[in-house]
Amino acid sequence: MSRILVTGGAGFIGSHLCERLVAEGNDVICVDNFLTGSPDNIAPLLGNSKFHFIQLDITNFIYVSGPVDAILHFASPASPIDYLELPIQTLKVGSLGTHKVLGLAKEKGARILLASTSEVYGDPLVHPQTEDYWGNVNPIGPRGVYDEAKRFAEAITMAYQRSHGVETRIVRIFNTYGPRMRQEDGRVVPNFIAQALRGEDLTVYGDGGQTRSFCYVTDLVEGILRLLWSDYREPVNIGNPREMTVLDFAKLIIELTGSQSGITHKPLPVDDPKVRQPDITLARRVLNDWTPSVPVEEGLRLAIEYFQGKVR
Ligand code: UDP
């Protein structure tokens, strides 16, 4: 059993990691400033003696007493409308926040896993995306604040590994969905499900021909924990390679919710990637045959069930 710190632990993915780590008997220190995370996400864990919460902005100095075996660094705004509204916080948490967390890992002798993103590939010219592709990112576009923050975070993480011998891991997370996504975070899954449940038209941006590949959160969590304890020190894609167009995804959600909703087209956001699909050959090889196991129809049913209790 380990003592594990999770930054962004009250966020969507962070809270699923905390839940799983506590269930496995680890001591979990969850850090969050609730900028985009929510107390509701960790409410069920608060009474557990294995779970400790610290409200903290990690772009400032981080102090944690006692030993730390591992750090999962998940703090960041993570949806396009969040980083459009919080551009400076997004850049600061990816740069200053990652620096502080790496300093803590060095001090404690902890291994650290950085949550990176498929956004490092930008609007990709290689498809599906393999880890050796360097990406096609617009550094000065509104979306670039997230992409470049994560690219810097990867660079400083590798520098701490090379210069200070810190045991680092980097996961590049592709579109992930499931319970505890924020209803209003603007991402396609909560938007479409909430719209379908309300009987409103689903807002497809552009002609809906752009593609994404959606991974259910428990599959992602399994891949992340395998990577954390693996020996592999370079970035690894984790995602579900089943690719579909956004238009087909809208139709699937209408079908699964049994909604009468139609579809309305809205303008495509600036620099919206035209295609995205993870190549997970490397993950399979280095993570003991890890592969996603939840089909999108089943995962969406679970997500819909969650939102049914929330949407009004
Ligand atoms: N999208 C859409 N309607 C929405 C929200 C998003 O058509 O109401 C599209 C968006 O333009 C993108 C895809 O769905 O092509 C996925 O968007 P999301 O914000 O979930 O994340 P991204 O994959 O772009 O980071």
Side-chain angles (χ1 to χ4, degrees):
M1 296 309 109
S2 304
R3 194 157 186 254
I4 302 178
L5 184 136
V6 183
T7 75
F12 162 48
I13 296 171
S15 65
H16 282 276
L17 284 166
C18 289
E19 186 182 13
R20 163 98 185 246
L21 290 168
V22 167
E24 287 176 350
N26 300 288
D27 261 315
V28 174
I29 308 160
C30 167
V31 172
D32 208 295
N33 67 349
F34 295 136
L35 184 64
T36 57
S38 155
D40 290 348
N41 288 343
I42 51 167
L45 290 170
L46 284 176
N48 194 309
S49 61
K50 294 279 190 193
F51 183 78
H52 314 274
F53 176 70
I54 308 174
Q55 186 164 349
L56 187 76
D57 177 348
I58 59 152
T59 59
N60 300 317
F61 185 73
I62 312 172
Y63 175 75
V64 177
S65 64
V68 176
D69 302 305
I71 301 174
L72 295 163
H73 177 33
F74 279 71
S76 178
S79 86
I81 64 161
D82 282 346
Y83 38 84
L84 251 59
E85 275 168 22
L86 305 165
I88 295 171
Q89 290 93 328
T90 302
L91 283 159
K92 282 176 73 179
V93 75
S95 55
L96 307 179
T98 302
H99 180 221
K100 295 285 185 294
V101 172
L102 284 163
L104 182 69
K106 177 170 156 244
E107 165 71 23
K108 300 283 185 185
R111 64 171 59 197
I112 172 167
L113 180 143
L114 166 71
S116 185
T117 168
S118 55
E119 285 280 325
V120 300
Y121 303 121
D123 189 3
L125 305 175
V126 166
H127 190 68
Q129 291 76 58
T130 43
E131 288 84 351
D132 57 6
Y133 176 49
W134 291 350
N136 177 37
V137 172
N138 172 3
I140 57 161
R143 201 172 176 115
V145 295
Y146 182 65
D147 305 11
E148 295 296 3
K150 290 294 188 183
R151 289 169 68 98
F152 174 88
E154 288 198 5
I156 193 171
T157 297
M158 292 305 294
Y160 264 69
Q161 180 189 119
R162 292 186 183 116
S163 298
H164 292 312
V166 174
E167 277 291 345
T168 67
R169 305 289 181 266
I170 299 175
V171 58
R172 291 188 181 148
I173 299 171
F174 284 66
N175 293 68
T176 300
Y177 68 97
R180 304 198 200 120
M181 292 186 95
R182 252 172 43 242
Q183 203 190 124
E184 69 286 1
D185 87 357
R187 281 187 276 193
V188 69
V189 172
N191 268 13
F192 282 0
I193 294 180
Q195 289 160 346
L197 292 176
R198 290 196 196 101
E200 295 166 1
D201 277 4
L202 274 61
T203 52
V204 168
Y205 299 161
D207 64 7
Q210 70 273 32
T211 69
R212 293 294 185 274
S213 310
F214 296 95
C215 184
Y216 190 65
V217 64
T218 52
D219 281 333
L220 175 79
V221 163
E222 175 64 29
I224 287 169
L225 295 181
R226 285 194 197 192
L227 177 60
L228 174 67
W229 299 117
S230 81
D231 293 333
Y232 193 78
R233 297 191 172 85
E234 292 199 1
V236 179
N237 292 337
I238 299 279
N240 187 326
R242 176 157 165 209
E243 182 186 20
M244 61 182 99
T245 67
V246 168
L247 186 60
D248 284 342
F249 192 59
K251 290 177 184 161
L252 178 62
I253 288 184
I254 291 173
E255 184 192 319
L256 292 175
T257 50
S259 170
Q260 300 299 309
S261 294
I263 286 172
T264 305
H265 291 268
K266 293 220 169 156
L268 201 59
V270 177
D271 296 331
D272 197 273
K274 286 181 261 318
V275 289
R276 181 180 291 157
Q277 183 189 31
D279 183 315
I280 58 166
T281 310
L282 179 66
R284 284 207 171 104
R285 181 160 66 78
V286 299
L287 305 181
N288 201 13
D289 270 338
W290 172 85
T291 194
S293 67
V294 182
V296 73
E297 289 78 6
E298 190 183 322
L300 281 174
R301 276 195 198 96
L302 297 168
I304 290 165
E305 213 173 278
Y306 171 80
F307 282 109
Q308 263 161 346
K310 308 258 168 208
V311 171
R312 45 199 107 254

